[in-house]
Amino acid sequence: MCVTIHRLRLGMTRAASRRRPTMAEVARAAEVSVMTVSYTYAQPERVSEQTRARVREAAERLGYPGPHPGARSLRRGRAGSLGVILGEHLTYAFEDPQAARFLAGIAEVCADHGLGLTIVPVTGSASDAGRVAEAAVDGFVVWTTSDDDPVVDAVAATGLPSVVHGGPRRDDLSFVAVDDRAAARAVAAAAFAGARRPMVLSFPLDRTRATGVHRALDPAGASFRVTRQRLRGFRDAWTEGGGRWSQVRVAVCSRNTAREAERLAAGLLTGPRVPDAVAAMSDELALGLMRAAGRLGLAVPGDLAVTGWDDTDAAAAAGLTTIAQSLRDQGARCARLALGEEAGGGPVDWRLILRDSTRRA
């Protein structure tokens, strides 16, 4: 089921559950033709004021709200809405600060064009492709998903203008993303400066979203492009500093939430192999880790250097070294691409923000 922002249905009211009167019934009640009723709503200048009043009086008496918006859209050849394929639980769009910023960028462009915004959540079930095919939209923006997610094929099959954010990257769809590998190399160099027991706090590797701790993890095995590229950048930073990738443990979280990271970190920050530096793939993960470290009496950065990614408001307040990128600008760019206002994605700006959570080399 799609969630349309400008017509959000949370349930069926008693009035909505009654049968909708038809245009033909209004025509009979007003003693006019069906075409006259249609003109009254779509081209009122073609109907006399007296006839328009009679039609609207009959419509009000029968409870007829006017032609169905979907039918009007079909006649115009457009739906008047931009679809967003969200490969997460629907609540993620409102709970994750960066997802909210990304959607705000899309919504801003939609508002400028008088368009609605339809969120199409996917669940990993066989019904996802059908939900995409049936979405009444004029184009799609696909939030980061895995290389093997069938919804990407379903989006391409619609033939509608579409753009993928973050990954996967395909020749038949537009693409917008930061240079994850280069940015990861930069932030990991700050995280791992002077470290002896480095760790990565990672996004899921694939759609199974299995948690676990890995050594010598091959980034190529990650089917999420963002995870894969950031792992490669972290590996670059550590090996360029003279280390071996097998020394770096990769702790995989199932979800990008501070709660998930805090739960996982409770076990990682105790025992004989406590890391002294952690590069997290998001600010949410980094902040969850820092909360766990604080409860265990570990000082940041004295005992544990930490970096994040995104430069959220909470990251600045926590003094977190991170990668700054504007998800709002990226969302707006994706929307413009889907609407045909830009010819290509082009580079996405990012910068390293050094704060107090890392040691100085």
Side-chain angles (χ1 to χ4, degrees):
M1 180 177 182
C2 301
V3 177
T4 305
I5 297 300
H6 61 292
R7 290 192 299 273
L8 184 61
R9 285 174 155 180
L10 299 180
M12 292 290 289
T13 64
R14 183 178 302 172
S17 65
R18 294 196 298 267
R19 186 180 66 83
R20 177 189 178 97
T22 66
M23 190 178 292
E25 290 171 331
V26 174
R28 285 196 296 271
E31 298 181 341
V32 296
S33 69
V34 173
M35 186 61 71
T36 298
V37 177
S38 177
Y39 284 153
T40 297
Y41 288 96
Q43 302 179 56
E45 70 280 359
R46 299 188 63 172
V47 183
S48 70
E49 183 177 348
Q50 182 180 6
T51 301
R52 288 201 307 269
R54 192 162 75 248
V55 169
R56 292 191 179 278
E57 186 278 329
E60 183 177 357
R61 177 159 35 89
L62 294 174
Y64 177 70
H68 193 281
R72 291 199 300 268
S73 297
L74 288 173
R75 287 195 298 273
R76 292 196 305 267
R78 59 190 297 270
S81 185
L82 189 60
V84 177
I85 307 295
L86 188 72
E88 300 281 352
H89 191 279
L90 183 57
T91 57
Y92 186 82
F94 307 97
E95 294 172 347
D96 180 78
Q98 289 301 81
R101 290 180 179 181
F102 182 74
L103 287 171
I106 298 174
E108 185 175 31
V109 173
C110 288
D112 289 343
H113 290 76
L115 298 174
L117 173 60
T118 299
I119 299 178
V120 186
V122 296
T123 62
S125 67
S127 63
D128 289 343
R131 192 177 299 113
V132 170
E134 294 170 1
V137 298
D138 297 308
F140 287 104
V141 174
V142 182
W143 176 261
T144 303
T145 188
S146 66
D147 298 341
D148 58 351
D149 192 336
V151 300
V152 183
D153 287 330
V155 167
T158 66
L160 294 171
S162 302
V163 56
V164 176
H165 175 264
R169 188 164 194 167
R170 295 171 46 134
D171 293 337
D172 55 345
L173 297 173
S174 297
F175 178 76
V176 170
V178 71
D179 187 338
D180 286 282
R181 185 169 185 170
R185 183 188 302 116
V187 75
F192 297 158
R196 298 175 61 189
R197 299 178 305 279
M199 178 175 282
V200 169
L201 199 54
S202 175
F203 289 155
L205 302 177
D206 52 43
R207 289 196 296 144
T208 67
R209 296 183 176 273
T211 59
V213 180
H214 307 264
R215 276 191 181 274
L217 178 67
D218 184 358
S223 61
F224 282 99
R225 181 188 176 277
V226 168
T227 303
R228 184 169 62 246
Q229 292 297 92
R230 293 185 188 182
L231 284 173
R232 285 171 172 162
F234 294 154
R235 182 182 62 184
D236 292 343
W238 182 246
T239 57
E240 286 168 6
R244 300 187 309 276
W245 181 237
S246 60
Q247 297 172 296
V248 182
R249 286 186 292 165
V250 177
V252 179
C253 295
S254 63
R255 298 284 174 183
N256 178 35
T257 67
R259 181 181 300 176
E260 169 82 359
E262 188 173 2
R263 180 193 63 77
L264 189 61
L268 298 172
L269 300 180
T270 57
R273 299 167 58 198
V274 175
D276 58 0
V278 177
M281 288 196 184
S282 75
D283 291 344
E284 288 294 293
L285 298 183
L287 292 168
L289 176 94
M290 290 172 71
R291 284 205 295 265
R295 285 203 314 274
L296 293 168
L298 297 175
V300 175
D303 298 317
L304 179 69
V306 182
T307 60
W309 193 299
D310 288 329
D311 195 29
T312 60
D313 294 340
L320 180 64
T321 292
T322 189
I323 291 294
Q325 61 171 336
S326 174
L327 266 292
R328 185 179 185 118
D329 288 349
Q330 291 174 42
R333 179 179 291 185
C334 287
R336 290 193 295 270
L337 279 166
L339 294 174
E341 293 187 353
E342 291 190 15
V348 175
D349 293 335
W350 63 270
R351 67 186 188 280
L352 174 66
I353 306 294
L354 293 171
R355 296 195 180 102
D356 295 335
S357 68
T358 48
R359 312 176 185 100
R360 297 295 181 261

